[in-house]
Amino acid sequence: MGSNSAASISDRFLETAADNLRIAKILVQMGLDPNNITYDTLLDRLLEIVLANITLANMLALVGAIFLVATLLMHTIVPLRVASMLGCMFFVAYGALSGNVGAFILYLLLLPINAIRLRQILNLIKRARIATEGDTSLELLKPFMTERRYRRGDKLFRKNDAASEMFLTVTGTFLVKEISVELPPGRLMGELGFLTPNQRRTATVECIEDGQVMTITYEKLLEIFFQNPQFGYYCLVLTSQRLLENISRLEGIIAQGKAARQTLASDDIA
């Protein structure tokens, strides 16, 4: 009863729509009689059209469209480029089978562009991974650095001083006074000032054994940072390690303070 009622309502709606001249033309183009149109005849005709157009070329275009639409839902670049390449490949095949020269040329050109971009991204990821495995970026810096020597007792910089350069220790020993940490040869220092918003020194560094350092200005460092992703990622890793070391050192100081208070409390009770 309900289905018959719905069908009759649909038929009346189609009859009303068929009175519109534009809709009537569309129905005629579909091979339907606007004066004798029902829900069943329209559904049957649409099914005939769909079945008549199920060809290998159209199926390839459908799969290609699914891949290209999927790229709009992806959040990372590598799978996006892979899906885009697959979509282009299916559309190239569609253009070749259907004789659609425009589609064939368009997606044939897009295919190598996506392939080149994918390779660039993979190389970037590879360089970033290499950057976390060693100090290869330090070799990159040395041609841009200037040699400087310090004697025992010299201050390289003081806490809250304006920061304008980064240092690489070559020989000698240097002391970070606020946290009593010695820096042997091969260590970077002053990199945190490069990343702080106001570019101020976060600690005082003093030479405690005559030595040599290499320096590089932040301006040159910023230029290399943007030109070389490997070095940029290395800086992020280095800064993260330094912050984790500071947190670990702070936790140790807090633990020592708690232990000292507990000892004092025990002595008072005794």
Side-chain angles (χ1 to χ4, degrees), residues 190-248:
E191 76 286 352
L192 291 180
F194 173 60
L195 298 174
T196 54
N198 55 359
Q199 290 192 343
R200 293 282 175 177
R201 296 299 184 191
T202 59
T204 300
V205 174
E206 179 182 344
C207 178
I208 58 176
E209 179 185 330
D210 294 359
Q212 173 190 351
V213 301
M214 303 290 287
T215 67
I216 182 171
T217 65
Y218 286 165
E219 291 182 0
K220 178 59 68 174
L221 197 62
L222 190 64
E223 180 181 337
I224 300 173
F225 186 95
F226 285 109
Q227 290 181 355
N228 191 300
Q230 178 182 355
F231 174 71
Y233 192 83
Y234 175 80
C235 283
L236 293 177
V237 173
L238 178 67
T239 305
S240 299
Q241 290 175 345
R242 195 64 57 86
L243 291 174
L244 290 174
E245 289 175 1
N246 291 340
I247 292 172
S248 177

Side-chain angles (χ1 to χ4, degrees), residues 78-153:
V78 172
L80 185 149
R81 290 293 180 184
V82 172
S84 183
M85 289 176 60
L86 291 173
C88 289
M89 291 171 61
F90 279 104
F91 271 110
V92 166
Y94 157 76
L97 291 177
S98 64
N100 191 327
V101 179
F104 179 79
I105 294 176
L106 173 63
Y107 291 101
L108 188 63
L109 292 175
L110 289 176
L111 188 58
I113 292 174
N114 279 285
I116 291 171
R117 291 300 187 190
L118 177 61
R119 181 167 182 173
Q120 290 174 342
I121 294 166
L122 293 176
N123 287 336
L124 177 61
I125 294 173
K126 182 179 179 180
R127 290 196 299 269
R129 287 175 178 170
I130 292 174
T132 64
E133 297 173 358
D135 58 352
T136 54
S137 295
L138 299 181
E139 298 298 325
L140 180 147
L141 285 179
K142 287 181 179 179
F144 303 96
M145 303 184 84
T146 303
E147 179 182 338
R148 191 178 298 168
R149 294 184 178 276
Y150 289 94
R151 295 186 178 275
R152 181 175 180 179

Side-chain angles (χ1 to χ4, degrees), residues 7-9 34 36 39 51-52 57 62 64 66 68 80-81 93 99 102 105 122 135 143 151 200 207 229 256 261 269:
S8 62
I9 293 173
N36 186 23
Y39 175 78
L51 293 175
L62 176 62
I66 292 173
L68 292 183
L80 185 149
R81 290 293 180 184
I105 294 176
L122 293 176
D135 58 352
R151 295 186 178 275
R200 293 282 175 177
C207 178
Q256 290 177 358
R261 286 195 298 270
I269 293 172

